Amino acid sequence: MSLLQTVVQHPSEAPATSHADSKILLEGNPLLEKWAHVASGNDKIKVGVMTCEPSVNRSVKKGFFEFCYIIEGLIELTEDGGEPVTYKAGDTFLMQEGFAGTWRTIEKYKKVYVCVYD
């Protein structure tokens, strides 16, 4: 097995689909599509591609941080006590461990994500 892996931004295979967890959902009932590409380090690092339809949910990073690259769409993140920040296709951001706030999907997004767990 090669130690070099490509994260395909537009996978041709069918994604795993689900709906957002009702415990964190504030508005909507978005369909999630996920192509998990690799998990390594005893599942301490997860990399994949994901889409989500317009909705609003709580986002809490407890025990891990997440790096995102937005391929398509438009989102707005508001850290608790902070001002909204908008991200669109081509933008990247990092939510540090301990981040807590609101994730608003304005236009269906597709992202590449990297999550690193404690």
Side-chain angles (χ1 to χ4, degrees):
M1 178 173 133
S2 175
L3 296 178
L4 174 64
Q5 295 180 321
T6 300
V7 176
V8 179
Q9 293 184 22
H10 303 284
S12 59
E13 72 271 9
T17 59
S18 63
H19 285 275
D21 183 346
S22 62
K23 295 175 189 168
I24 64 168
L25 197 58
L26 301 174
E27 289 179 25
N29 186 26
L31 177 66
L32 307 173
E33 298 175 306
K34 193 176 203 180
W35 297 263
H37 289 280
V38 65
S40 65
N42 297 326
D43 285 339
K44 290 188 177 236
I45 301 171
K46 295 182 181 179
V47 178
V49 174
M50 178 180 167
T51 70
C52 183
E53 297 174 328
S55 57
V56 180
N57 63 274
R58 287 288 297 161
S59 183
V60 177
K61 305 303 173 199
K62 187 173 182 178
F64 72 102
F65 72 82
E66 181 177 3
F67 168 87
C68 296
Y69 167 71
I70 303 296
I71 301 168
E72 302 170 357
L74 181 66
I75 67 163
E76 178 184 88
L77 296 177
T78 307
E79 188 169 7
D80 290 348
E83 295 295 318
V85 179
T86 302
Y87 295 101
K88 62 186 181 327
D91 290 341
T92 58
F93 58 92
L94 175 69
M95 292 178 286
Q96 294 283 355
E97 193 280 330
F99 173 90
T102 303
W103 179 302
R104 178 179 304 275
T105 301
I106 299 165
E107 296 174 3
K108 181 179 179 179
Y109 71 79
K110 180 184 270 187
K111 70 178 182 178
V112 173
Y113 65 88
V114 178
C115 293
V116 179
Y117 297 83
D118 292 341

